[in-house]
mmCIF file of all heavy atoms in Angstrom:
data_model
loop_
_atom_site.group_PDB
_atom_site.id
_atom_site.type_symbol
_atom_site.label_atom_id
_atom_site.label_comp_id
_atom_site.label_asym_id
_atom_site.label_seq_id
_atom_site.Cartn_x
_atom_site.Cartn_y
_atom_site.Cartn_z
ATOM 1 N N LYS A 367 3.058 -22.046 19.356
ATOM 2 C CA LYS A 367 3.617 -23.388 19.193
ATOM 3 C C LYS A 367 2.849 -24.183 18.145
ATOM 4 O O LYS A 367 3.442 -24.855 17.287
ATOM 5 C CB LYS A 367 3.584 -24.126 20.533
ATOM 6 C CG LYS A 367 4.187 -25.518 20.482
ATOM 7 C CD LYS A 367 4.155 -26.166 21.851
ATOM 8 C CE LYS A 367 4.747 -27.584 21.791
ATOM 9 N NZ LYS A 367 4.726 -28.239 23.126
ATOM 10 N N HIS A 368 1.540 -24.111 18.189
ATOM 11 C CA HIS A 368 0.723 -24.816 17.193
ATOM 12 C C HIS A 368 0.915 -24.206 15.801
ATOM 13 O O HIS A 368 0.923 -24.923 14.797
ATOM 14 C CB HIS A 368 -0.749 -24.774 17.592
ATOM 15 C CG HIS A 368 -1.054 -25.554 18.825
ATOM 16 N ND1 HIS A 368 -2.136 -25.288 19.633
ATOM 17 C CD2 HIS A 368 -0.397 -26.589 19.400
ATOM 18 C CE1 HIS A 368 -2.145 -26.134 20.648
ATOM 19 N NE2 HIS A 368 -1.102 -26.933 20.529
ATOM 20 N N LEU A 369 1.096 -22.896 15.761
ATOM 21 C CA LEU A 369 1.294 -22.226 14.475
ATOM 22 C C LEU A 369 2.563 -22.713 13.798
ATOM 23 O O LEU A 369 2.540 -23.084 12.618
ATOM 24 C CB LEU A 369 1.361 -20.707 14.691
ATOM 25 C CG LEU A 369 1.734 -19.878 13.454
ATOM 26 C CD1 LEU A 369 0.643 -19.979 12.395
ATOM 27 C CD2 LEU A 369 1.982 -18.417 13.838
ATOM 28 N N ILE A 370 3.671 -22.744 14.531
ATOM 29 C CA ILE A 370 4.940 -23.133 13.906
ATOM 30 C C ILE A 370 4.918 -24.605 13.515
ATOM 31 O O ILE A 370 5.525 -25.001 12.510
ATOM 32 C CB ILE A 370 6.137 -22.822 14.832
ATOM 33 C CG1 ILE A 370 7.460 -23.055 14.089
ATOM 34 C CG2 ILE A 370 6.079 -23.644 16.095
ATOM 35 C CD1 ILE A 370 7.625 -22.242 12.821
ATOM 36 N N GLN A 371 4.217 -25.427 14.270
ATOM 37 C CA GLN A 371 4.113 -26.842 13.898
ATOM 38 C C GLN A 371 3.417 -26.984 12.547
ATOM 39 O O GLN A 371 3.877 -27.742 11.679
ATOM 40 C CB GLN A 371 3.357 -27.619 14.975
ATOM 41 C CG GLN A 371 4.147 -27.829 16.256
ATOM 42 C CD GLN A 371 3.336 -28.506 17.347
ATOM 43 O OE1 GLN A 371 2.106 -28.582 17.271
ATOM 44 N NE2 GLN A 371 4.019 -28.986 18.380
ATOM 45 N N ASP A 372 2.316 -26.252 12.369
ATOM 46 C CA ASP A 372 1.590 -26.319 11.098
ATOM 47 C C ASP A 372 2.450 -25.790 9.949
ATOM 48 O O ASP A 372 2.523 -26.409 8.875
ATOM 49 C CB ASP A 372 0.299 -25.501 11.189
ATOM 50 C CG ASP A 372 -0.737 -26.149 12.089
ATOM 51 O OD1 ASP A 372 -0.572 -27.350 12.395
ATOM 52 O OD2 ASP A 372 -1.687 -25.465 12.483
ATOM 53 N N LEU A 373 3.091 -24.652 10.167
ATOM 54 C CA LEU A 373 3.919 -24.044 9.120
ATOM 55 C C LEU A 373 5.074 -24.952 8.738
ATOM 56 O O LEU A 373 5.357 -25.163 7.554
ATOM 57 C CB LEU A 373 4.453 -22.690 9.599
ATOM 58 C CG LEU A 373 3.446 -21.585 9.915
ATOM 59 C CD1 LEU A 373 4.168 -20.363 10.457
ATOM 60 C CD2 LEU A 373 2.633 -21.219 8.682
ATOM 61 N N ALA A 374 5.771 -25.474 9.746
ATOM 62 C CA ALA A 374 6.977 -26.260 9.490
ATOM 63 C C ALA A 374 6.660 -27.578 8.800
ATOM 64 O O ALA A 374 7.364 -27.995 7.866
ATOM 65 C CB ALA A 374 7.724 -26.499 10.798
ATOM 66 N N GLU A 375 5.602 -28.257 9.264
ATOM 67 C CA GLU A 375 5.253 -29.544 8.653
ATOM 68 C C GLU A 375 4.827 -29.354 7.196
ATOM 69 O O GLU A 375 5.174 -30.162 6.325
ATOM 70 C CB GLU A 375 4.143 -30.215 9.452
ATOM 71 C CG GLU A 375 4.574 -30.707 10.819
ATOM 72 C CD GLU A 375 5.721 -31.698 10.747
ATOM 73 O OE1 GLU A 375 5.718 -32.550 9.829
ATOM 74 O OE2 GLU A 375 6.624 -31.614 11.599
ATOM 75 N N ASP A 376 4.093 -28.293 6.924
ATOM 76 C CA ASP A 376 3.675 -28.033 5.549
ATOM 77 C C ASP A 376 4.872 -27.670 4.682
ATOM 78 O O ASP A 376 4.955 -28.074 3.522
ATOM 79 C CB ASP A 376 2.635 -26.913 5.521
ATOM 80 C CG ASP A 376 1.958 -26.795 4.168
ATOM 81 O OD1 ASP A 376 1.992 -27.763 3.391
ATOM 82 O OD2 ASP A 376 1.387 -25.726 3.882
ATOM 83 N N LEU A 377 5.817 -26.907 5.242
ATOM 84 C CA LEU A 377 7.016 -26.546 4.486
ATOM 85 C C LEU A 377 7.842 -27.782 4.147
ATOM 86 O O LEU A 377 8.301 -27.948 3.008
ATOM 87 C CB LEU A 377 7.864 -25.558 5.296
ATOM 88 C CG LEU A 377 9.078 -24.971 4.572
ATOM 89 C CD1 LEU A 377 8.649 -24.055 3.438
ATOM 90 C CD2 LEU A 377 9.983 -24.217 5.545
ATOM 91 N N LEU A 378 8.011 -28.657 5.128
ATOM 92 C CA LEU A 378 8.758 -29.892 4.893
ATOM 93 C C LEU A 378 8.064 -30.756 3.851
ATOM 94 O O LEU A 378 8.711 -31.278 2.929
ATOM 95 C CB LEU A 378 8.906 -30.657 6.206
ATOM 96 C CG LEU A 378 9.644 -31.999 6.144
ATOM 97 C CD1 LEU A 378 11.068 -31.810 5.657
ATOM 98 C CD2 LEU A 378 9.642 -32.674 7.505
ATOM 99 N N GLY A 379 6.766 -30.904 3.978
ATOM 100 C CA GLY A 379 6.031 -31.700 3.006
ATOM 101 C C GLY A 379 6.082 -31.110 1.609
ATOM 102 O O GLY A 379 6.191 -31.839 0.619
ATOM 103 N N THR A 380 6.036 -29.789 1.523
ATOM 104 C CA THR A 380 6.079 -29.120 0.216
ATOM 105 C C THR A 380 7.411 -29.360 -0.481
ATOM 106 O O THR A 380 7.460 -29.678 -1.677
ATOM 107 C CB THR A 380 5.849 -27.604 0.384
ATOM 108 O OG1 THR A 380 4.552 -27.389 0.943
ATOM 109 C CG2 THR A 380 5.943 -26.888 -0.954
ATOM 110 N N PHE A 381 8.500 -29.235 0.259
ATOM 111 C CA PHE A 381 9.819 -29.311 -0.369
ATOM 112 C C PHE A 381 10.358 -30.728 -0.507
ATOM 113 O O PHE A 381 11.480 -30.909 -0.986
ATOM 114 C CB PHE A 381 10.803 -28.410 0.381
ATOM 115 C CG PHE A 381 10.705 -26.977 -0.059
ATOM 116 C CD1 PHE A 381 9.802 -26.123 0.541
ATOM 117 C CD2 PHE A 381 11.462 -26.508 -1.111
ATOM 118 C CE1 PHE A 381 9.670 -24.813 0.122
ATOM 119 C CE2 PHE A 381 11.338 -25.207 -1.550
ATOM 120 C CZ PHE A 381 10.446 -24.356 -0.934
ATOM 121 N N ARG A 382 9.560 -31.712 -0.125
ATOM 122 C CA ARG A 382 9.944 -33.084 -0.467
ATOM 123 C C ARG A 382 9.902 -33.279 -1.978
ATOM 124 O O ARG A 382 10.559 -34.182 -2.507
ATOM 125 C CB ARG A 382 9.014 -34.083 0.222
ATOM 126 C CG ARG A 382 9.184 -34.160 1.727
ATOM 127 C CD ARG A 382 8.355 -35.289 2.319
ATOM 128 N NE ARG A 382 8.296 -35.249 3.760
ATOM 129 C CZ ARG A 382 9.237 -35.676 4.594
ATOM 130 N NH1 ARG A 382 10.345 -36.204 4.090
ATOM 131 N NH2 ARG A 382 9.092 -35.616 5.897
ATOM 132 N N ALA A 383 9.129 -32.442 -2.655
ATOM 133 C CA ALA A 383 9.032 -32.539 -4.115
ATOM 134 C C ALA A 383 10.089 -31.703 -4.818
ATOM 135 O O ALA A 383 10.165 -31.721 -6.046
ATOM 136 C CB ALA A 383 7.642 -32.085 -4.562
ATOM 137 N N ALA A 384 10.910 -30.974 -4.065
ATOM 138 C CA ALA A 384 11.903 -30.091 -4.685
ATOM 139 C C ALA A 384 13.122 -30.884 -5.131
ATOM 140 O O ALA A 384 13.683 -31.671 -4.359
ATOM 141 C CB ALA A 384 12.326 -29.001 -3.700
ATOM 142 N N PRO A 385 13.572 -30.705 -6.371
ATOM 143 C CA PRO A 385 14.774 -31.396 -6.825
ATOM 144 C C PRO A 385 16.026 -30.767 -6.229
ATOM 145 O O PRO A 385 16.108 -29.546 -6.063
ATOM 146 C CB PRO A 385 14.733 -31.200 -8.352
ATOM 147 C CG PRO A 385 13.974 -29.926 -8.543
ATOM 148 C CD PRO A 385 12.965 -29.876 -7.429
ATOM 149 N N LEU A 386 16.999 -31.614 -5.870
ATOM 150 C CA LEU A 386 18.335 -31.206 -5.423
ATOM 151 C C LEU A 386 18.373 -30.511 -4.072
ATOM 152 O O LEU A 386 19.417 -30.482 -3.415
ATOM 153 C CB LEU A 386 19.007 -30.290 -6.464
ATOM 154 C CG LEU A 386 19.196 -30.885 -7.859
ATOM 155 C CD1 LEU A 386 19.814 -29.851 -8.799
ATOM 156 C CD2 LEU A 386 20.062 -32.132 -7.802
ATOM 157 N N VAL A 387 17.286 -29.936 -3.628
ATOM 158 C CA VAL A 387 17.249 -29.213 -2.357
ATOM 159 C C VAL A 387 16.851 -30.182 -1.245
ATOM 160 O O VAL A 387 15.888 -30.938 -1.387
ATOM 161 C CB VAL A 387 16.261 -28.038 -2.420
ATOM 162 C CG1 VAL A 387 16.106 -27.393 -1.049
ATOM 163 C CG2 VAL A 387 16.730 -27.009 -3.426
ATOM 164 N N ASP A 388 17.591 -30.165 -0.149
ATOM 165 C CA ASP A 388 17.281 -31.014 0.997
ATOM 166 C C ASP A 388 16.078 -30.430 1.738
ATOM 167 O O ASP A 388 16.161 -29.336 2.297
ATOM 168 C CB ASP A 388 18.493 -31.078 1.934
ATOM 169 C CG ASP A 388 18.247 -31.982 3.138
ATOM 170 O OD1 ASP A 388 17.157 -32.575 3.234
ATOM 171 O OD2 ASP A 388 19.168 -32.096 3.976
ATOM 172 N N PRO A 389 14.941 -31.117 1.748
ATOM 173 C CA PRO A 389 13.756 -30.554 2.407
ATOM 174 C C PRO A 389 13.971 -30.327 3.898
ATOM 175 O O PRO A 389 13.398 -29.401 4.482
ATOM 176 C CB PRO A 389 12.664 -31.604 2.157
ATOM 177 C CG PRO A 389 13.402 -32.868 1.855
ATOM 178 C CD PRO A 389 14.657 -32.452 1.181
ATOM 179 N N TYR A 390 14.816 -31.158 4.516
ATOM 180 C CA TYR A 390 15.077 -30.975 5.941
ATOM 181 C C TYR A 390 15.920 -29.729 6.199
ATOM 182 O O TYR A 390 15.797 -29.099 7.264
ATOM 183 C CB TYR A 390 15.769 -32.217 6.513
ATOM 184 C CG TYR A 390 14.858 -33.417 6.587
ATOM 185 C CD1 TYR A 390 14.886 -34.397 5.598
ATOM 186 C CD2 TYR A 390 13.950 -33.563 7.630
ATOM 187 C CE1 TYR A 390 14.046 -35.503 5.657
ATOM 188 C CE2 TYR A 390 13.095 -34.662 7.698
ATOM 189 C CZ TYR A 390 13.149 -35.628 6.709
ATOM 190 O OH TYR A 390 12.306 -36.709 6.761
ATOM 191 N N ALA A 391 16.780 -29.349 5.253
ATOM 192 C CA ALA A 391 17.549 -28.111 5.393
ATOM 193 C C ALA A 391 16.622 -26.896 5.294
ATOM 194 O O ALA A 391 16.804 -25.904 6.012
ATOM 195 C CB ALA A 391 18.637 -28.046 4.325
ATOM 196 N N VAL A 392 15.637 -26.963 4.392
ATOM 197 C CA VAL A 392 14.651 -25.875 4.286
ATOM 198 C C VAL A 392 13.833 -25.795 5.569
ATOM 199 O O VAL A 392 13.574 -24.701 6.101
ATOM 200 C CB VAL A 392 13.739 -26.095 3.068
ATOM 201 C CG1 VAL A 392 12.693 -24.996 2.983
ATOM 202 C CG2 VAL A 392 14.566 -26.142 1.782
ATOM 203 N N TYR A 393 13.431 -26.947 6.064
ATOM 204 C CA TYR A 393 12.706 -27.013 7.336
ATOM 205 C C TYR A 393 13.530 -26.387 8.461
ATOM 206 O O TYR A 393 13.023 -25.616 9.283
ATOM 207 C CB TYR A 393 12.385 -28.475 7.638
ATOM 208 C CG TYR A 393 11.882 -28.778 9.029
ATOM 209 C CD1 TYR A 393 10.544 -28.644 9.348
ATOM 210 C CD2 TYR A 393 12.764 -29.220 10.016
ATOM 211 C CE1 TYR A 393 10.079 -28.943 10.621
ATOM 212 C CE2 TYR A 393 12.312 -29.515 11.294
ATOM 213 C CZ TYR A 393 10.975 -29.380 11.595
ATOM 214 O OH TYR A 393 10.527 -29.661 12.859
ATOM 215 N N GLN A 394 14.841 -26.691 8.483
ATOM 216 C CA GLN A 394 15.706 -26.161 9.535
ATOM 217 C C GLN A 394 15.838 -24.644 9.443
ATOM 218 O O GLN A 394 15.936 -23.961 10.465
ATOM 219 C CB GLN A 394 17.096 -26.808 9.445
ATOM 220 C CG GLN A 394 18.037 -26.415 10.571
ATOM 221 C CD GLN A 394 17.553 -26.903 11.924
ATOM 222 O OE1 GLN A 394 17.109 -28.038 12.050
ATOM 223 N NE2 GLN A 394 17.631 -26.050 12.936
ATOM 224 N N SER A 395 15.842 -24.117 8.223
ATOM 225 C CA SER A 395 15.949 -22.666 8.067
ATOM 226 C C SER A 395 14.759 -21.963 8.719
ATOM 227 O O SER A 395 14.913 -20.908 9.345
ATOM 228 C CB SER A 395 16.049 -22.294 6.586
ATOM 229 O OG SER A 395 14.849 -22.576 5.892
ATOM 230 N N LEU A 396 13.573 -22.555 8.589
ATOM 231 C CA LEU A 396 12.400 -21.980 9.245
ATOM 232 C C LEU A 396 12.523 -22.091 10.761
ATOM 233 O O LEU A 396 12.252 -21.125 11.490
ATOM 234 C CB LEU A 396 11.128 -22.682 8.762
ATOM 235 C CG LEU A 396 9.835 -22.329 9.519
ATOM 236 C CD1 LEU A 396 9.554 -20.831 9.460
ATOM 237 C CD2 LEU A 396 8.645 -23.117 8.955
ATOM 238 N N MET A 397 12.955 -23.247 11.250
ATOM 239 C CA MET A 397 13.064 -23.443 12.694
ATOM 240 C C MET A 397 14.138 -22.533 13.296
ATOM 241 O O MET A 397 13.978 -22.026 14.415
ATOM 242 C CB MET A 397 13.367 -24.904 13.011
ATOM 243 C CG MET A 397 12.283 -25.874 12.535
ATOM 244 S SD MET A 397 10.609 -25.445 13.084
ATOM 245 C CE MET A 397 10.776 -25.581 14.852
ATOM 246 N N ASP A 398 15.238 -22.330 12.567
ATOM 247 C CA ASP A 398 16.281 -21.415 13.048
ATOM 248 C C ASP A 398 15.748 -19.993 13.146
ATOM 249 O O ASP A 398 16.002 -19.278 14.125
ATOM 250 C CB ASP A 398 17.494 -21.454 12.118
ATOM 251 C CG ASP A 398 18.304 -22.729 12.271
ATOM 252 O OD1 ASP A 398 18.126 -23.423 13.285
ATOM 253 O OD2 ASP A 398 19.114 -23.021 11.367
#
């Protein structure tokens, strides 16, 4: 549980800088 929290939060934070791509959609792909 702690592992996925760290991975997911970092992924979301990383892709906030991505153009055109919804960072929350990328986050959801990991959670799915």
Side-chain angles (χ1 to χ4, degrees):
K367 182 178 179 180
H368 293 156
L369 173 66
I370 188 58
Q371 288 175 345
D372 289 344
L373 297 176
E375 290 302 320
D376 192 20
L377 186 68
L378 179 61
T380 298
F381 277 88
R382 290 187 190 280
L386 301 178
V387 173
D388 181 1
Y390 290 98
V392 178
Y393 168 85
Q394 185 65 43
S395 67
L396 171 58
M397 299 308 297
D398 286 343

